[in-house]
Amino acid sequence: MSELPPSAQRVVEAAASHGLSLEVVEYPDGTRTADDAAAAVGCEVGQIVKSLIFSVDGELVLALTSGSNRVDTKKLTAAAGGERCDRADANQVREVTGFAIGGVPPFGHANAVRAFFDPALLTHDVVWAAAGTPRHVFPLSPADLLTATGATEVDFTE
Ligand code: 5CA
């Protein structure tokens, strides 16, 4: 494998701390969105893990969402036990995770965040998530993803 950029290396190291050995794949045409990633990998869009940051009553939380689903902010608010939910802006995403939108990985963030896990991800044998850049992704089993993220499995999509 060619050398990984530092952002992707951080994700590999975070995975290793959870006992997971990642195989990061680079797609030069880009994997910035779930649709881009599915096209690059050649998988269903539902197999792409969107790592989305929302602000619930000011607390930044992570919604690990299947690429084929949309977040229902009312459900996510309820799951988080809050009252108000907004999408985080690009600066908040970078501050809390240490990564830029388009490459936010599901773990390896700069700060600990509560995480919520879309059960639809568990219907696939393998899912693909961002590895810290808009060009790098990695496959893993959704069960391993759930364990490594310590996320709460709950329905928060439309
Ligand atoms: N690498 C891909 C597939 S793993 C990826 O990171 N997809 S993603 O869905 O997790 O990240 C893109 C998401 O970032 C978009 O769906 C959108 O929800 C969010 N986003 C894009 N632009 C902005 C923005 N300006 N402010 C806040 N969120 C944004």
Side-chain angles (χ1 to χ4, degrees):
M1 200 197 331
S2 60
E3 222 173 271
L4 290 174
S7 298
Q9 196 56 46
R10 289 199 333 257
V11 181
V12 170
E13 283 162 16
S17 76
H18 295 291
L20 295 175
S21 171
L22 294 194
E23 278 191 47
V24 174
V25 184
E26 177 173 8
Y27 292 101
D29 285 346
T31 55
R32 183 174 294 278
T33 67
D35 284 345
D36 291 347
V41 169
C43 69
E44 291 172 35
V45 71
Q47 287 176 270
I48 302 298
V49 181
K50 300 190 285 191
S51 300
L52 305 175
I53 302 291
F54 286 83
S55 171
V56 178
D57 296 354
E59 175 193 354
L60 296 176
V61 303
L62 173 65
L64 297 162
T65 312
S66 166
S68 56
N69 281 341
R70 287 178 59 88
V71 172
D72 178 327
T73 53
K74 283 207 179 93
K75 287 187 188 174
L76 184 62
T77 306
E83 285 175 2
R84 200 197 142 85
C85 179
D86 300 290
R87 177 164 293 214
D89 68 28
N91 288 332
Q92 290 175 309
V93 171
R94 186 183 272 286
E95 248 168 57
V96 73
T97 68
F99 297 91
I101 283 170
V104 177
F107 43 61
H109 303 142
N111 298 282
V113 285
R114 282 202 291 159
F116 299 92
F117 193 94
D118 179 358
L121 291 166
L122 292 165
T123 64
H124 302 283
D125 292 339
V126 174
V127 296
W128 292 74
T133 90
R135 290 189 321 280
H136 294 84
V137 289
F138 63 90
L140 85 173
S141 80
D144 282 348
L145 180 63
L146 181 56
T147 305
T149 55
T152 300
E153 188 191 336
V154 59
D155 173 12
F156 57 80
T157 63
E158 290 175 352

